[in-house]
Amino acid sequence: MKARDLWALAIALTLPACSGDGSGETGGGAGQCAAGGTGTLALDIESAVPADVRVSDAAGVVEGGTAAESRTLALPAGEYRVSAHRVRSAGEIVGPAYQGAIEGEHTVCVRDGETTTVAVRYTREPGSEKLWVTNTNGEGQILAFDAEQLAAGGEQTPSVVLDAGLTSPTALRVDGAGRLWIGDRAGKLAVYDAARLGASSGDAPDAGLGGPGLCETSSPCGPGAMAFDAEGALWVATLSRIVRIRLDALGALEGALEPEPEISLTSPDASRPVSLAFDAEGNLWVGDGATNGVVKFEAERLRASIVDEPADVVLLGQSGPPVVANLRGPQGLAFDADGNLWVGYFSGNQLVRYTPEERAASGTLTPEVLFDIDVLALVTDLAVDESGNLWMPGSAGSVYRIDAEELTSEEPALVALTSDAIGSAVKLTLNTVAGPTYIAP
């Protein structure tokens, strides 16, 4: 099987199960996989890290969902589905991710008194341990720097350069299957499979998404921001609304697609959404370019469309004395492991931390932590790595890091990674995602 087919199979395993074909040891339609008695299911798992392998019957998961090693299960005779889920291993900045693939059919028949063996093989994602950066040098390239380069800082050469054929990238995120998503101001999304992110390429992306679901009016119309929820659905901010797109409803992510949004969100508190982020409870936070507010929509409200309704929390920031001024342009949003919300206000190039207590209710406030950032760094996007360091793009061929211990100092030091390949970085993302992905110890 080709490498790309293996990756497609690994991703497909996260989708609802298909019934088996009834042949041999691997499956059986109704009446062909007899119930009654007890059989044995042997899971032969090969992985460099603890894997996430699950066994399900028609009622749901009967084994797994946590770290798993090769093992033998005694099960009531019948039909089962074996699935292998993406795992990540912790790293100092960003750890590697691994995809699992089932050798053969993933729907198997366990027969009374017999042993059925399923082999599961995990392989490292080529795009692992990277920071991805947009490059507004007129060529629309996307650059990647490896974890070792990020730790070292200084002058670096990108490990991967992707030419997606986009003129002006506006948003950048990695999903729970390791795919790289790139938004363009012309109302399009480009998608690269995880298997293609290990080497430079000028070939076309695997899929391109467009149409009225992503572009409300004539170009330019975004997408201006993206975020993935815990179910793996994609949320996209366009000119004046936010839409939710279920990826499993799109089928194979190949070729040109025009998705129909499942949910649409409009609000007077988020009439020009410019940044998106989900907190640990599944609430959606939006930075609004019209009101300059940072607003929250409760998770339970996100199950259906919201039409011109207010947000649940509206935060308006102010700088403290001696010059009190409203904070404007909340273009960067990111949560850290302690639940703090970091906001980059572009107009004054200010970086702000809202603690869980500060962001609990609506109001105008001066946050306890507020930094004026050097003009060479840009707060147009933010990312928090696995050590709690904060990353931001930069002009003049750089990206910048503030180390975790510096985030409580009065004047935090900026650590620069520079590259001649960067014209000006505006958006960035680590291949670390919240949600169902299991993190191996």
Side-chain angles (χ1 to χ4, degrees):
M1 182 179 287
K2 295 181 180 180
R4 183 169 173 180
D5 293 333
L6 281 172
W7 288 108
L9 176 59
I11 293 169
L13 295 176
T14 64
L15 303 178
C18 299
S19 60
D21 61 4
S23 61
E25 291 273 313
T26 56
Q32 297 183 20
C33 186
T38 300
T40 300
L41 177 61
L43 298 177
D44 176 18
I45 301 171
E46 185 178 293
S47 177
V49 297
D52 184 3
V53 178
R54 309 178 194 183
V55 179
S56 305
D57 62 10
V61 176
V62 299
E63 173 71 18
T66 57
E69 298 177 349
S70 293
R71 63 196 188 278
T72 301
L73 308 174
L75 298 171
E79 190 171 89
Y80 294 88
R81 176 178 179 263
V82 181
S83 57
H85 299 256
R86 183 178 187 249
V87 299
R88 291 193 295 107
S89 187
E92 180 181 348
I93 291 178
V94 55
Y98 298 82
Q99 298 262 8
I102 309 296
E103 293 188 351
E105 297 285 345
H106 61 273
T107 300
V108 299
C109 182
V110 175
R111 295 184 172 86
D112 181 32
E114 299 182 10
T115 297
T116 299
T117 300
V118 176
V120 186
R121 302 292 179 256
Y122 272 81
T123 54
R124 181 185 177 279
E125 283 181 9
S128 286
E129 300 177 275
K130 287 179 171 57
L131 175 75
W132 297 90
V133 182
T134 64
N135 189 18
T136 55
N137 61 350
E139 299 178 4
Q141 296 170 326
I142 307 299
L143 313 177
F145 297 92
D146 294 338
E148 294 83 358
Q149 296 175 303
L150 300 176
E155 179 68 22
Q156 301 289 343
T157 300
S159 62
V160 176
V161 178
L162 299 178
D163 187 350
L166 304 176
T167 57
S168 183
T170 54
L172 196 64
R173 287 296 180 264
V174 175
D175 70 13
R179 294 172 293 218
L180 180 66
W181 293 73
I182 310 162
D184 185 75
R185 71 194 302 262
K188 298 183 182 298
L189 286 173
V191 187
Y192 284 89
D193 285 345
R196 296 185 57 196
L197 299 179
S200 297
S201 174
D203 295 337
D206 293 277
L209 281 65
L214 295 175
C215 188
E216 300 170 62
T217 59
S218 59
S219 176
C221 58
M226 292 185 288
F228 291 92
D229 63 24
E231 296 178 0
L234 170 65
W235 293 77
V236 179
T238 60
L239 283 178
S240 63
R241 67 176 181 174
I242 302 165
V243 297
R244 182 184 194 260
I245 299 170
R246 281 184 52 202
L247 301 187
D248 57 358
L250 299 179
L253 283 173
E254 296 180 353
L257 302 170
E258 292 194 2
E260 184 69 28
E262 177 192 24
I263 289 173
S264 178
L265 186 161
T266 57
S267 170
D269 296 319
S271 60
R272 187 156 61 87
V274 293
S275 52
L276 304 175
F278 282 94
D279 64 23
E281 290 75 39
N283 306 308
L284 176 63
W285 290 81
V286 183
D288 183 48
T291 65
N292 297 307
V294 177
V295 307
K296 180 180 79 168
F297 294 91
E298 297 278 1
E300 57 266 23
R301 296 180 65 191
L302 303 178
R303 301 189 183 101
S305 290
I306 297 173
V307 181
D308 298 332
E309 297 178 12
D312 297 284
V313 171
V314 178
L315 299 178
L316 297 173
Q318 280 187 340
S319 59
V323 179
V324 176
N326 295 330
L327 304 179
R328 300 170 55 216
Q331 293 190 11
L333 296 182
F335 283 92
D336 64 23
D338 296 323
N340 299 309
L341 173 59
W342 292 90
V343 182
Y345 288 94
F346 178 71
S347 293
N349 218 38
Q350 291 153 319
L351 179 65
V352 164
R353 185 193 71 184
Y354 292 113
T355 65
E357 293 75 23
E358 289 174 323
R359 60 181 177 84
S362 297
T364 300
L365 71 157
T366 299
E368 183 180 351
V369 174
L370 188 157
F371 303 130
D372 292 316
I373 300 298
D374 188 285
V375 293
L376 293 179
L378 302 174
V379 293
T380 49
D381 209 355
L382 303 174
V384 178
D385 69 24
E386 295 180 21
S387 291
N389 308 314
L390 188 67
W391 293 82
M392 64 192 73
S395 58
S398 299
V399 295
Y400 291 90
R401 181 184 84 230
I402 301 177
D403 290 335
E405 59 269 20
E406 290 281 314
L407 289 171
T408 54
S409 65
E410 291 186 6
E411 295 184 8
L414 295 176
V415 179
L417 180 152
T418 61
S419 176
D420 291 339
I422 302 175
S424 179
V426 176
K427 298 294 181 178
L428 52 74
T429 189
L430 294 158
N431 71 302
T432 304
V433 294
T437 302
Y438 170 70
I439 302 177

